[in-house]
Amino acid sequence: GAVVSQHPSWVICKSGTSVKIECRSLDFQATTMFWYRQFPKQSLMLMATSNEGSKATYEQGVEKDKFLINHASLTLSTLTVTSAHPEDSSFYICSARDGQGAWELFFGEGSRLTVL
Amino acid sequence: GQQLNQSPQSMFIQEGEDVSMNCTSSSIFNTWLWYKQDPGEGPVLLIALYKAGELTSNGRLTAQFGITRKDSFLNISASIPSDVGIYFCAGLNQGGKLIFGQGTELSVKP
């Protein structure tokens, strides 16, 4: 099956710094990628839809200036958490859809962010 | 907004027992999915359901899509320790977005 890889798998940063998380589709082209956030023992909450070559679409309540998304190529989307605070500590997961029109979403391994 | 209500929230069972969990929604979904998530990893697709009333199996897993397209159940037969994890139902809406249930955390005692 298709492979989606995230990097880094975990990161610890100081409050006020910015952190970038990468999501790559390794063996397919993804015109659309999705970013989710998951708190411990909770469900995956969709944050935004990342579209290659255009602006991301954010879900209600998600600050677009806080969570910057860039989808510059068909195999890479990045999520930057700007001026991170402890409440931003979470598990961030991306998923990608094969650009061939299939519905199936392939998920990355997730990136755990801890803000001190 | 669209929501999926999943139950039970957690289950503690003995190895070898069968497990059943279900999911309901106030909205209709054309595609219903069941995922498993191991600690510190992304979810992995177990079963996809496309047709109302469809019953689909994948090894020891069986899932059914409700006639109304608003509910589904997942059964796991003869559970084993590696079945431990969190199981999520998810509905694919018309906008192509996945809406997840709250998850069922399964613990299996050897």
Side-chain angles (χ1 to χ4, degrees), chain A residues 103-107, chain B residues 6 19 21 32-38 42-50 56-64 73-76 82-90 98 100 104 106:
Chain A
W103 64 264
E104 187 171 358
L105 286 171
F106 302 96
F107 284 84
Chain B
Q6 192 170 345
V19 173
M21 58 192 79
W32 202 295
L33 310 159
W34 284 95
Y35 288 88
K36 182 190 178 200
Q37 184 180 29
D38 291 327
V44 174
L45 181 64
L46 299 174
I47 289 181
L49 301 162
Y50 307 100
T56 299
S57 293
N58 179 6
R60 293 179 295 106
L61 307 177
T62 302
Q64 184 159 31
F73 70 75
L74 174 71
N75 288 342
I76 305 173
S82 62
D83 290 334
V84 166
I86 303 178
Y87 291 79
F88 290 100
C89 61
L98 267 186
F100 282 86
T104 295
L106 178 64

Short mmCIF file of all heavy atoms in Angstrom, two decimals, chain A residues 103-107, chain B residues 6 19 21 32-38 42-50 56-64 73-76 82-90 98 100 104 106:
data_model
loop_
_atom_site.label_atom_id
_atom_site.label_comp_id
_atom_site.label_asym_id
_atom_site.label_seq_id
_atom_site.Cartn_x
_atom_site.Cartn_y
_atom_site.Cartn_z
N TRP A 103 -10.52 7.18 -3.01
CA TRP A 103 -10.97 7.85 -1.79
C TRP A 103 -10.05 7.58 -0.62
O TRP A 103 -10.03 8.32 0.35
CB TRP A 103 -12.38 7.37 -1.43
CG TRP A 103 -12.41 5.91 -1.10
CD1 TRP A 103 -12.73 4.88 -1.92
CD2 TRP A 103 -12.06 5.31 0.15
NE1 TRP A 103 -12.59 3.68 -1.26
CE2 TRP A 103 -12.19 3.91 0.01
CE3 TRP A 103 -11.65 5.82 1.40
CZ2 TRP A 103 -11.91 3.01 1.04
CZ3 TRP A 103 -11.38 4.93 2.43
CH2 TRP A 103 -11.51 3.54 2.24
N GLU A 104 -9.30 6.44 -0.70
CA GLU A 104 -8.60 5.97 0.49
C GLU A 104 -7.55 6.97 0.97
O GLU A 104 -6.79 7.52 0.17
CB GLU A 104 -7.95 4.62 0.25
CG GLU A 104 -7.35 4.01 1.53
CD GLU A 104 -6.90 2.58 1.33
OE1 GLU A 104 -7.08 2.04 0.23
OE2 GLU A 104 -6.36 2.01 2.30
N LEU A 105 -7.52 7.15 2.27
CA LEU A 105 -6.54 8.01 2.90
C LEU A 105 -5.46 7.15 3.57
O LEU A 105 -5.77 6.16 4.21
CB LEU A 105 -7.19 8.90 3.96
CG LEU A 105 -8.03 10.05 3.45
CD1 LEU A 105 -8.78 10.70 4.60
CD2 LEU A 105 -7.16 11.07 2.76
N PHE A 106 -4.23 7.56 3.41
CA PHE A 106 -3.12 6.86 4.03
C PHE A 106 -2.53 7.77 5.10
O PHE A 106 -2.26 8.95 4.84
CB PHE A 106 -2.07 6.49 2.98
CG PHE A 106 -2.63 5.62 1.88
CD1 PHE A 106 -3.07 6.18 0.69
CD2 PHE A 106 -2.74 4.25 2.06
CE1 PHE A 106 -3.61 5.39 -0.32
CE2 PHE A 106 -3.27 3.45 1.06
CZ PHE A 106 -3.72 4.03 -0.13
N PHE A 107 -2.34 7.22 6.28
CA PHE A 107 -1.91 8.03 7.42
C PHE A 107 -0.42 7.90 7.68
O PHE A 107 0.19 6.85 7.49
CB PHE A 107 -2.68 7.60 8.68
CG PHE A 107 -4.09 8.10 8.70
CD1 PHE A 107 -5.09 7.40 8.06
CD2 PHE A 107 -4.41 9.27 9.36
CE1 PHE A 107 -6.40 7.87 8.06
CE2 PHE A 107 -5.72 9.74 9.38
CZ PHE A 107 -6.72 9.03 8.72
N GLN B 6 -19.27 6.59 19.34
CA GLN B 6 -18.74 5.24 19.38
C GLN B 6 -18.84 4.68 20.79
O GLN B 6 -18.60 5.39 21.78
CB GLN B 6 -17.27 5.28 18.94
CG GLN B 6 -16.66 3.94 18.66
CD GLN B 6 -15.30 4.08 18.01
OE1 GLN B 6 -14.92 5.13 17.51
NE2 GLN B 6 -14.53 3.00 18.03
N VAL B 19 -15.28 -9.72 20.71
CA VAL B 19 -15.47 -8.31 21.04
C VAL B 19 -16.43 -7.68 20.05
O VAL B 19 -16.38 -8.01 18.85
CB VAL B 19 -14.12 -7.56 20.97
CG1 VAL B 19 -14.32 -6.05 21.13
CG2 VAL B 19 -13.17 -8.08 22.02
N MET B 21 -18.05 -3.72 19.07
CA MET B 21 -18.15 -2.28 19.31
C MET B 21 -18.98 -1.67 18.20
O MET B 21 -19.05 -2.21 17.10
CB MET B 21 -16.76 -1.65 19.37
CG MET B 21 -15.92 -1.83 18.16
SD MET B 21 -14.18 -1.37 18.41
CE MET B 21 -13.56 -2.82 19.27
N TRP B 32 -18.02 4.05 5.21
CA TRP B 32 -17.76 3.93 6.64
C TRP B 32 -16.51 3.08 6.81
O TRP B 32 -16.37 2.05 6.17
CB TRP B 32 -18.95 3.26 7.32
CG TRP B 32 -19.04 3.56 8.78
CD1 TRP B 32 -18.17 3.18 9.74
CD2 TRP B 32 -20.07 4.27 9.44
NE1 TRP B 32 -18.59 3.63 10.96
CE2 TRP B 32 -19.76 4.31 10.81
CE3 TRP B 32 -21.23 4.91 9.01
CZ2 TRP B 32 -20.56 4.94 11.75
CZ3 TRP B 32 -22.03 5.52 9.95
CH2 TRP B 32 -21.70 5.55 11.30
N LEU B 33 -15.64 3.51 7.71
CA LEU B 33 -14.34 2.88 7.85
C LEU B 33 -14.07 2.54 9.31
O LEU B 33 -14.53 3.23 10.23
CB LEU B 33 -13.24 3.82 7.34
CG LEU B 33 -13.51 4.40 5.95
CD1 LEU B 33 -12.71 5.67 5.73
CD2 LEU B 33 -13.15 3.37 4.89
N TRP B 34 -13.32 1.48 9.50
CA TRP B 34 -12.85 1.12 10.84
C TRP B 34 -11.33 1.11 10.82
O TRP B 34 -10.70 0.50 9.95
CB TRP B 34 -13.38 -0.24 11.26
CG TRP B 34 -14.82 -0.21 11.67
CD1 TRP B 34 -15.89 -0.49 10.88
CD2 TRP B 34 -15.34 0.12 12.96
NE1 TRP B 34 -17.05 -0.33 11.61
CE2 TRP B 34 -16.74 0.03 12.88
CE3 TRP B 34 -14.75 0.48 14.19
CZ2 TRP B 34 -17.58 0.30 13.97
CZ3 TRP B 34 -15.58 0.74 15.28
CH2 TRP B 34 -16.97 0.65 15.17
N TYR B 35 -10.74 1.80 11.80
CA TYR B 35 -9.28 1.90 11.91
C TYR B 35 -8.83 1.37 13.27
O TYR B 35 -9.58 1.38 14.25
CB TYR B 35 -8.82 3.37 11.83
CG TYR B 35 -8.90 3.99 10.47
CD1 TYR B 35 -10.07 4.61 10.03
CD2 TYR B 35 -7.80 3.99 9.61
CE1 TYR B 35 -10.15 5.21 8.79
CE2 TYR B 35 -7.86 4.58 8.36
CZ TYR B 35 -9.04 5.20 7.97
OH TYR B 35 -9.10 5.79 6.73
N LYS B 36 -7.57 0.95 13.32
CA LYS B 36 -6.93 0.62 14.59
C LYS B 36 -5.70 1.50 14.75
O LYS B 36 -4.93 1.69 13.79
CB LYS B 36 -6.51 -0.85 14.63
CG LYS B 36 -5.90 -1.24 15.97
CD LYS B 36 -5.27 -2.62 15.92
CE LYS B 36 -4.64 -2.92 17.28
NZ LYS B 36 -3.63 -3.97 17.22
N GLN B 37 -5.53 2.01 15.96
CA GLN B 37 -4.37 2.83 16.24
C GLN B 37 -3.59 2.24 17.41
O GLN B 37 -4.13 2.05 18.50
CB GLN B 37 -4.78 4.27 16.57
CG GLN B 37 -3.60 5.20 16.77
CD GLN B 37 -4.02 6.62 17.11
OE1 GLN B 37 -5.06 6.85 17.71
NE2 GLN B 37 -3.21 7.59 16.72
N ASP B 38 -2.33 1.94 17.16
CA ASP B 38 -1.44 1.50 18.24
C ASP B 38 -0.81 2.74 18.88
O ASP B 38 -0.72 3.79 18.25
CB ASP B 38 -0.35 0.57 17.68
CG ASP B 38 -0.92 -0.76 17.24
OD1 ASP B 38 -1.89 -1.23 17.87
OD2 ASP B 38 -0.39 -1.35 16.28
N GLY B 42 0.12 6.25 13.76
CA GLY B 42 -1.06 6.69 13.05
C GLY B 42 -2.05 5.54 12.90
O GLY B 42 -1.70 4.38 13.08
N PRO B 43 -3.31 5.85 12.59
CA PRO B 43 -4.31 4.79 12.43
C PRO B 43 -4.07 3.98 11.16
O PRO B 43 -3.59 4.50 10.16
CB PRO B 43 -5.63 5.56 12.35
CG PRO B 43 -5.25 6.94 11.94
CD PRO B 43 -3.88 7.19 12.45
N VAL B 44 -4.46 2.72 11.23
CA VAL B 44 -4.33 1.80 10.11
C VAL B 44 -5.71 1.30 9.74
O VAL B 44 -6.49 0.89 10.60
CB VAL B 44 -3.42 0.62 10.49
CG1 VAL B 44 -3.39 -0.41 9.37
CG2 VAL B 44 -2.01 1.11 10.79
N LEU B 45 -6.02 1.34 8.45
CA LEU B 45 -7.34 0.92 7.99
C LEU B 45 -7.52 -0.59 8.16
O LEU B 45 -6.67 -1.38 7.76
CB LEU B 45 -7.52 1.29 6.52
CG LEU B 45 -8.86 0.95 5.89
CD1 LEU B 45 -9.99 1.74 6.57
CD2 LEU B 45 -8.85 1.22 4.38
N LEU B 46 -8.66 -0.97 8.77
CA LEU B 46 -9.00 -2.38 8.95
C LEU B 46 -10.02 -2.83 7.92
O LEU B 46 -9.85 -3.86 7.26
CB LEU B 46 -9.57 -2.60 10.36
CG LEU B 46 -8.67 -2.27 11.54
CD1 LEU B 46 -9.45 -2.42 12.83
CD2 LEU B 46 -7.44 -3.16 11.55
N ILE B 47 -11.12 -2.12 7.85
CA ILE B 47 -12.23 -2.50 6.98
C ILE B 47 -12.89 -1.24 6.44
O ILE B 47 -13.05 -0.26 7.16
CB ILE B 47 -13.27 -3.35 7.75
CG1 ILE B 47 -12.70 -4.74 8.06
CG2 ILE B 47 -14.56 -3.49 6.95
CD1 ILE B 47 -13.68 -5.64 8.80
N ALA B 48 -13.29 -1.30 5.18
CA ALA B 48 -14.05 -0.21 4.56
C ALA B 48 -15.41 -0.75 4.12
O ALA B 48 -15.50 -1.85 3.56
CB ALA B 48 -13.29 0.34 3.35
N LEU B 49 -16.45 0.02 4.37
CA LEU B 49 -17.81 -0.38 4.02
C LEU B 49 -18.39 0.66 3.08
O LEU B 49 -18.32 1.87 3.34
CB LEU B 49 -18.67 -0.47 5.29
CG LEU B 49 -18.16 -1.46 6.34
CD1 LEU B 49 -18.79 -1.17 7.70
CD2 LEU B 49 -18.47 -2.89 5.91
N TYR B 50 -18.98 0.18 1.99
CA TYR B 50 -19.47 1.09 0.97
C TYR B 50 -20.98 1.04 0.77
O TYR B 50 -21.60 2.04 0.40
CB TYR B 50 -18.82 0.77 -0.37
CG TYR B 50 -17.31 0.71 -0.34
CD1 TYR B 50 -16.65 -0.51 -0.26
CD2 TYR B 50 -16.55 1.87 -0.39
CE1 TYR B 50 -15.26 -0.56 -0.24
CE2 TYR B 50 -15.17 1.83 -0.37
CZ TYR B 50 -14.53 0.61 -0.30
OH TYR B 50 -13.16 0.55 -0.27
N THR B 56 -18.78 -7.21 5.86
CA THR B 56 -17.45 -7.47 5.32
C THR B 56 -16.54 -8.04 6.39
O THR B 56 -16.58 -7.61 7.54
CB THR B 56 -16.83 -6.16 4.78
OG1 THR B 56 -17.64 -5.66 3.73
CG2 THR B 56 -15.44 -6.40 4.24
N SER B 57 -15.73 -9.02 5.99
CA SER B 57 -14.81 -9.64 6.93
C SER B 57 -13.37 -9.44 6.48
O SER B 57 -13.08 -9.35 5.29
CB SER B 57 -15.10 -11.14 7.05
OG SER B 57 -16.36 -11.35 7.65
N ASN B 58 -12.49 -9.39 7.47
CA ASN B 58 -11.06 -9.31 7.23
C ASN B 58 -10.39 -10.14 8.31
O ASN B 58 -10.12 -9.67 9.41
CB ASN B 58 -10.60 -7.85 7.29
CG ASN B 58 -9.11 -7.72 7.08
OD1 ASN B 58 -8.42 -8.70 6.77
ND2 ASN B 58 -8.59 -6.52 7.26
N GLY B 59 -10.20 -11.42 8.02
CA GLY B 59 -9.64 -12.32 9.03
C GLY B 59 -10.62 -12.51 10.17
O GLY B 59 -11.77 -12.89 9.96
N ARG B 60 -10.19 -12.17 11.39
CA ARG B 60 -11.06 -12.32 12.55
C ARG B 60 -11.98 -11.10 12.75
O ARG B 60 -12.75 -11.06 13.71
CB ARG B 60 -10.20 -12.52 13.81
CG ARG B 60 -9.42 -13.83 13.83
CD ARG B 60 -8.55 -13.97 15.08
NE ARG B 60 -7.50 -12.97 15.13
CZ ARG B 60 -7.51 -11.91 15.94
NH1 ARG B 60 -8.52 -11.72 16.79
NH2 ARG B 60 -6.51 -11.04 15.92
N LEU B 61 -11.90 -10.16 11.87
CA LEU B 61 -12.70 -8.95 11.98
C LEU B 61 -13.90 -9.02 11.05
O LEU B 61 -13.78 -9.47 9.91
CB LEU B 61 -11.87 -7.71 11.61
CG LEU B 61 -10.55 -7.50 12.32
CD1 LEU B 61 -9.85 -6.27 11.78
CD2 LEU B 61 -10.75 -7.37 13.81
N THR B 62 -15.04 -8.58 11.55
CA THR B 62 -16.24 -8.49 10.74
C THR B 62 -16.90 -7.16 11.04
O THR B 62 -17.02 -6.76 12.20
CB THR B 62 -17.23 -9.62 11.08
OG1 THR B 62 -16.59 -10.88 10.87
CG2 THR B 62 -18.47 -9.53 10.19
N ALA B 63 -17.32 -6.48 10.00
CA ALA B 63 -17.99 -5.20 10.19
C ALA B 63 -19.21 -5.14 9.30
O ALA B 63 -19.25 -5.74 8.22
CB ALA B 63 -17.05 -4.04 9.87
N GLN B 64 -20.21 -4.43 9.76
CA GLN B 64 -21.43 -4.26 8.96
C GLN B 64 -21.81 -2.80 8.91
O GLN B 64 -21.70 -2.06 9.91
CB GLN B 64 -22.59 -5.07 9.51
CG GLN B 64 -23.86 -4.99 8.65
CD GLN B 64 -24.81 -6.12 8.87
OE1 GLN B 64 -24.91 -6.68 9.96
NE2 GLN B 64 -25.54 -6.50 7.82
N PHE B 73 -21.16 -1.69 13.09
CA PHE B 73 -20.51 -2.38 14.19
C PHE B 73 -19.28 -3.10 13.68
O PHE B 73 -19.16 -3.43 12.50
CB PHE B 73 -21.47 -3.37 14.89
CG PHE B 73 -21.83 -4.59 14.08
CD1 PHE B 73 -20.92 -5.64 13.90
CD2 PHE B 73 -23.09 -4.72 13.51
CE1 PHE B 73 -21.25 -6.76 13.17
CE2 PHE B 73 -23.42 -5.84 12.78
CZ PHE B 73 -22.50 -6.86 12.60
N LEU B 74 -18.37 -3.35 14.62
CA LEU B 74 -17.15 -4.11 14.34
C LEU B 74 -17.06 -5.23 15.37
O LEU B 74 -17.16 -4.99 16.56
CB LEU B 74 -15.90 -3.22 14.43
CG LEU B 74 -14.57 -3.95 14.30
CD1 LEU B 74 -14.36 -4.43 12.87
CD2 LEU B 74 -13.41 -3.05 14.73
N ASN B 75 -16.90 -6.45 14.87
CA ASN B 75 -16.69 -7.59 15.76
C ASN B 75 -15.29 -8.13 15.57
O ASN B 75 -14.80 -8.22 14.44
CB ASN B 75 -17.70 -8.71 15.45
CG ASN B 75 -19.10 -8.35 15.91
OD1 ASN B 75 -19.30 -7.46 16.73
ND2 ASN B 75 -20.09 -9.04 15.38
N ILE B 76 -14.68 -8.52 16.67
CA ILE B 76 -13.39 -9.20 16.63
C ILE B 76 -13.59 -10.55 17.31
O ILE B 76 -14.03 -10.61 18.46
CB ILE B 76 -12.29 -8.41 17.38
CG1 ILE B 76 -12.17 -6.99 16.84
CG2 ILE B 76 -10.94 -9.13 17.26
CD1 ILE B 76 -11.23 -6.11 17.64
N SER B 82 -2.30 -9.05 20.66
CA SER B 82 -1.93 -8.00 19.71
C SER B 82 -3.14 -7.21 19.20
O SER B 82 -2.98 -6.23 18.46
CB SER B 82 -1.17 -8.60 18.53
OG SER B 82 -1.97 -9.52 17.84
N ASP B 83 -4.33 -7.59 19.61
CA ASP B 83 -5.53 -6.81 19.26
C ASP B 83 -5.63 -5.55 20.11
O ASP B 83 -6.45 -4.68 19.84
CB ASP B 83 -6.80 -7.64 19.45
CG ASP B 83 -6.95 -8.75 18.43
OD1 ASP B 83 -6.39 -8.61 17.32
OD2 ASP B 83 -7.61 -9.75 18.74
N VAL B 84 -4.80 -5.46 21.14
CA VAL B 84 -4.81 -4.28 22.01
C VAL B 84 -4.57 -3.02 21.20
O VAL B 84 -3.70 -2.97 20.33
CB VAL B 84 -3.72 -4.42 23.10
CG1 VAL B 84 -3.48 -3.10 23.80
CG2 VAL B 84 -4.12 -5.48 24.10
N GLY B 85 -5.34 -1.99 21.50
CA GLY B 85 -5.17 -0.72 20.80
C GLY B 85 -6.47 0.07 20.87
O GLY B 85 -7.40 -0.29 21.58
N ILE B 86 -6.51 1.15 20.11
CA ILE B 86 -7.73 1.96 20.05
C ILE B 86 -8.34 1.78 18.67
O ILE B 86 -7.67 1.94 17.64
CB ILE B 86 -7.43 3.44 20.32
CG1 ILE B 86 -6.76 3.62 21.67
CG2 ILE B 86 -8.73 4.24 20.27
CD1 ILE B 86 -6.40 5.05 21.99
N TYR B 87 -9.61 1.47 18.66
CA TYR B 87 -10.34 1.26 17.42
C TYR B 87 -11.23 2.47 17.16
O TYR B 87 -11.98 2.90 18.04
CB TYR B 87 -11.18 -0.02 17.50
CG TYR B 87 -10.32 -1.26 17.54
CD1 TYR B 87 -9.70 -1.67 18.73
CD2 TYR B 87 -10.10 -2.03 16.40
CE1 TYR B 87 -8.89 -2.78 18.77
CE2 TYR B 87 -9.28 -3.15 16.44
CZ TYR B 87 -8.68 -3.51 17.62
OH TYR B 87 -7.86 -4.62 17.66
N PHE B 88 -11.13 3.00 15.97
CA PHE B 88 -11.93 4.15 15.58
C PHE B 88 -12.83 3.82 14.41
O PHE B 88 -12.41 3.19 13.45
CB PHE B 88 -11.03 5.32 15.15
CG PHE B 88 -10.26 5.97 16.25
CD1 PHE B 88 -8.93 5.65 16.46
CD2 PHE B 88 -10.86 6.91 17.07
CE1 PHE B 88 -8.21 6.26 17.47
CE2 PHE B 88 -10.14 7.52 18.09
CZ PHE B 88 -8.81 7.19 18.29
N CYS B 89 -14.08 4.26 14.50
CA CYS B 89 -14.90 4.27 13.31
C CYS B 89 -14.73 5.66 12.68
O CYS B 89 -14.38 6.62 13.35
CB CYS B 89 -16.37 4.02 13.65
SG CYS B 89 -17.11 5.26 14.75
N ALA B 90 -14.96 5.73 11.40
CA ALA B 90 -14.82 7.01 10.70
C ALA B 90 -15.77 7.01 9.51
O ALA B 90 -15.93 6.00 8.82
CB ALA B 90 -13.38 7.24 10.24
N LEU B 98 -12.64 12.86 6.50
CA LEU B 98 -12.93 11.78 7.42
C LEU B 98 -13.33 12.35 8.78
O LEU B 98 -12.61 13.16 9.35
CB LEU B 98 -11.70 10.90 7.62
CG LEU B 98 -11.52 9.68 6.75
CD1 LEU B 98 -10.31 8.89 7.21
CD2 LEU B 98 -12.75 8.80 6.77
N PHE B 100 -14.05 11.21 12.58
CA PHE B 100 -13.75 10.08 13.45
C PHE B 100 -14.67 10.00 14.66
O PHE B 100 -15.11 11.03 15.19
CB PHE B 100 -12.30 10.17 13.95
CG PHE B 100 -11.28 9.75 12.94
CD1 PHE B 100 -10.79 10.66 12.02
CD2 PHE B 100 -10.82 8.45 12.91
CE1 PHE B 100 -9.84 10.28 11.06
CE2 PHE B 100 -9.87 8.06 11.98
CZ PHE B 100 -9.39 8.98 11.06
N THR B 104 -12.63 3.32 20.75
CA THR B 104 -12.84 2.29 21.77
C THR B 104 -11.49 1.70 22.10
O THR B 104 -10.81 1.16 21.22
CB THR B 104 -13.77 1.16 21.25
OG1 THR B 104 -15.07 1.69 21.01
CG2 THR B 104 -13.85 0.04 22.27
N LEU B 106 -9.25 -1.01 23.57
CA LEU B 106 -9.37 -2.43 23.86
C LEU B 106 -8.14 -2.93 24.60
O LEU B 106 -7.01 -2.72 24.15
CB LEU B 106 -9.54 -3.23 22.56
CG LEU B 106 -9.64 -4.75 22.70
CD1 LEU B 106 -10.89 -5.14 23.49
CD2 LEU B 106 -9.65 -5.43 21.34
#
